[in-house]
Amino acid sequence: MELLFRNVTVLPMDDTLEERVLRNMCIGIDKGKIAYFGAYEPGENAGRVVEGENLVVIPGLINAHSHIPMILLRGSSNDVPLEEWLFEHIFPREAKLTGEDIHAGSLLGMLEAISTGTTALCDMYMNLDAIASAAEKVGIRLHLTNALTSFDENENLEENRSFLQNRLIREKYRDSCLIKSLNGIHAVYTSYPRAWERVRKEAEENGKPINVHVSETKTEQENCIEKYGTTPLQTLDRYGVLDVGCIAAHCVYLTDEDIELMREKNVTAVHCPTSNLMLASGIADVSKYIKRGVNVALGTDGAASNNSLDMFEEMKLASLLQKGISLDPTAISAYDALKMATVNGAKALRLNSGVIKEGCNADLAVLDFSRIGLTPCYDHVANVVYSANGSDVAMTVIDGKIVYEYGRFACGIDIGKLRKAVEDGKK
Ligand SMILES: [Zn+2]
């Protein structure tokens, strides 16, 4: 065993087990996988032993919708309408970003992610090489895409940077178990049917899902219905986009027909509650989606509309919002919210993670339950979702390696220098 957790409390998120909280457990890790999970210590020496009855181990959190380099624009525009936010503040600043900026922003965002228990990201942005090389340094699991945008219906799509960049990453990281490139369509309002068909064909060929923004705002919904006669989801479906595996971010305005379509075509909805509130987009009725059999994962969206990458905030907010809009305290339980950030995210990304059991990826977040804010503990799941925040994470393990531990990052990046580069590079 390379790494052994001994005498820890575990929330395995494994519905085949009777207990949701297991005490005095051992987790043995070898070659990136959970090699042993049980009550007794496996009988061999471990390279490193971590123990403590106050340590609570959960599956690593999966941020299923992010734009990591947007950490560079954190707090750059606040309390303004979405259109003004996007067209007057975000787009002009993004146009000035260099590859170096994007690399630095990716490093900073990924360090924030791993220090708050996130082990995998599903990211959408530009300049993928700068993002992927940051992930390689930090050691985080990254699925990324340059999502297709094209406003010119006569564009030669074979030269669209989305395909070129996605293929570049797929080729360059062919042997990486951490970095994968997906297919992507930015949204129905930033491209057109011929482009969607081309992306679908690409997905058929490479077998990777399509990441797309769907029904984020009322305006998007209404404009799409006016232009195509159907909702964004149904419009994409007409061109086969939902048939090749699809991860749909936001899904704030799904109709009953949309929900049925999501279930039928096995499309994951990624709920981004903070971003949807920050930009006054609305509240997705995700408890209804879940009840009807849709897989719902959780995401932060970009830090420019969040303004953090702390998945603990998303879990708590996801649960509270549903209680508030349904007047039903059971609408999304603490366990449901934790499942969205682990099991459901893994399902969306087709990852062998999200649960703690033998044979799964050793992607774990370890919380320090001796913290004042987590005391007392009647219910471990409730404390994780309703009381904890990212700073309660003591240790993060990805692919069997400790990438973060009590304020220290294994990658050895000079944080002071990185902070200065990001601060000095503000647009
Ligand atoms: Zn987004």
Side-chain angles (χ1 to χ4, degrees):
M1 289 296 163
E2 291 161 6
L3 174 62
L4 176 69
F5 287 94
R6 187 161 63 194
N7 191 25
V8 292
T9 299
V10 179
L11 313 188
M13 302 308 290
D14 180 354
D15 285 340
T16 65
L17 301 175
E18 268 178 38
E19 301 289 330
R20 287 180 170 181
V21 179
L22 300 169
R23 294 163 196 264
N24 304 115
M25 298 299 285
C26 285
I27 304 173
I29 293 167
D30 215 18
K31 298 184 180 66
K33 303 284 180 207
I34 296 172
Y36 174 83
F37 177 44
Y40 304 102
E41 190 179 335
E44 60 175 294
N45 291 333
R48 164 99 192 262
V49 178
V50 177
E51 63 182 317
E53 52 189 332
N54 287 318
L55 296 181
V56 173
V57 186
I58 63 173
L61 303 175
I62 296 170
N63 186 344
H65 186 66
S66 62
H67 307 281
I68 279 293
M70 289 186 87
I71 201 92
L72 295 165
L73 307 179
R74 171 172 21 220
S76 62
S77 167
N78 310 282
D79 313 320
V80 296
L82 187 142
E83 259 82 59
E84 184 185 332
W85 176 82
L86 196 60
F87 291 99
E88 292 181 31
H89 301 279
I90 299 300
F91 283 166
R93 286 191 168 101
E94 280 186 329
K96 295 181 198 158
L97 294 178
T98 64
E100 269 182 20
D101 291 329
I102 290 178
H103 183 70
S106 300
L107 287 174
L108 192 73
M110 288 168 188
L111 294 178
E112 180 175 343
I114 63 171
S115 68
T116 54
T118 292
T119 54
L121 300 166
C122 181
D123 207 70
M124 182 193 280
Y125 211 63
M126 53 202 174
N127 209 327
L128 301 190
D129 212 18
I131 305 172
S133 60
E136 207 175 17
K137 279 185 196 159
V138 170
I140 194 168
R141 215 175 277 283
L142 172 72
H143 289 203
L144 80 170
T145 183
N146 183 316
L148 184 136
T149 54
S150 176
F151 295 97
D152 173 9
E153 298 212 18
N154 297 315
E155 181 186 341
N156 175 9
L157 291 171
E158 302 314 310
E159 286 169 16
N160 186 287
R161 70 175 183 190
S162 167
F163 297 117
L164 301 180
Q165 287 215 359
N166 291 338
R167 283 181 206 145
L168 176 91
I169 296 301
R170 193 161 299 130
E171 195 51 43
K172 188 166 175 182
Y173 293 93
R174 181 181 290 275
D175 299 326
S176 168
C177 71
L178 292 182
I179 298 166
K180 310 272 178 208
S181 94
L182 306 182
N183 303 290
I185 296 169
H186 176 262
V188 287
Y189 59 92
T190 48
S191 49
Y192 43 81
R194 184 172 64 89
W196 310 331
E197 286 178 322
R198 182 66 192 83
V199 176
R200 186 208 61 208
K201 184 168 168 272
E202 187 85 354
E204 277 168 356
E205 285 166 11
N206 61 39
K208 301 289 178 196
I210 297 175
N211 190 3
V212 56
H213 291 106
V214 169
S215 295
E216 180 176 0
T217 65
K218 211 171 184 173
T219 310
E220 174 191 340
Q221 188 85 350
E222 288 169 355
N223 289 350
C224 184
I225 292 171
E226 198 184 316
K227 189 167 178 189
Y228 297 104
T230 45
T231 63
L233 196 79
Q234 291 166 39
T235 305
L236 290 169
D237 185 49
R238 280 217 301 282
Y239 297 94
V241 172
L242 310 190
D243 296 323
V244 285
C246 190
I247 300 167
H250 299 296
C251 298
V252 179
Y253 291 96
L254 296 189
T255 64
D256 283 342
E257 293 76 29
D258 287 340
I259 298 170
E260 183 49 30
L261 196 54
M262 298 276 287
R263 189 196 60 74
E264 193 188 306
K265 304 258 169 157
N266 216 3
V267 176
T268 292
V270 184
H271 185 35
C272 303
T274 301
S275 175
N276 295 154
L277 291 180
M278 190 70 90
L279 295 171
S281 300
I283 299 171
D285 192 354
V286 291
S287 58
K288 185 158 91 177
Y289 308 169
I290 291 171
K291 275 195 196 95
R292 297 201 186 162
V294 176
N295 185 50
V296 179
L298 268 185
T300 56
D301 209 359
S305 61
N306 188 299
N307 294 350
S308 140
L309 296 172
D310 185 341
M311 286 289 287
F312 288 89
E313 290 181 7
E314 301 304 319
M315 288 195 283
K316 182 172 182 175
L317 193 54
S319 175
L320 298 188
L321 277 175
Q322 298 303 305
K323 296 177 199 303
I325 62 170
S326 65
L327 304 182
D328 174 6
T330 69
I332 294 283
S333 67
Y335 189 79
D336 296 332
L338 186 54
K339 202 169 165 181
M340 288 162 81
T342 54
V343 177
N344 298 2
K347 193 176 168 195
L349 295 183
R350 304 172 183 172
L351 278 177
N352 183 21
S353 309
V355 291
I356 296 176
K357 69 176 177 186
E358 286 175 15
C360 286
N361 290 334
D363 290 1
L364 308 169
V366 184
L367 288 99
D368 179 359
F369 263 52
S370 69
R371 301 285 294 258
I372 290 171
L374 298 177
T375 308
C377 180
Y378 288 93
D379 177 335
H380 288 82
V381 181
N383 269 22
V384 167
V385 175
Y386 300 140
S387 307
N389 57 52
S391 64
D392 295 315
V393 171
M395 193 179 276
T396 303
V397 177
I398 302 175
D399 195 37
K401 295 173 190 67
I402 299 172
V403 292
Y404 170 79
E405 187 175 1
Y406 291 101
R408 292 190 309 275
F409 295 96
C411 57
I413 287 168
D414 184 332
I415 309 292
K417 218 166 131 186
L418 177 63
R419 283 193 60 245
K420 188 172 182 321
V422 170
E423 194 69 46
D424 291 349
K426 282 191 299 195
K427 304 297 169 200

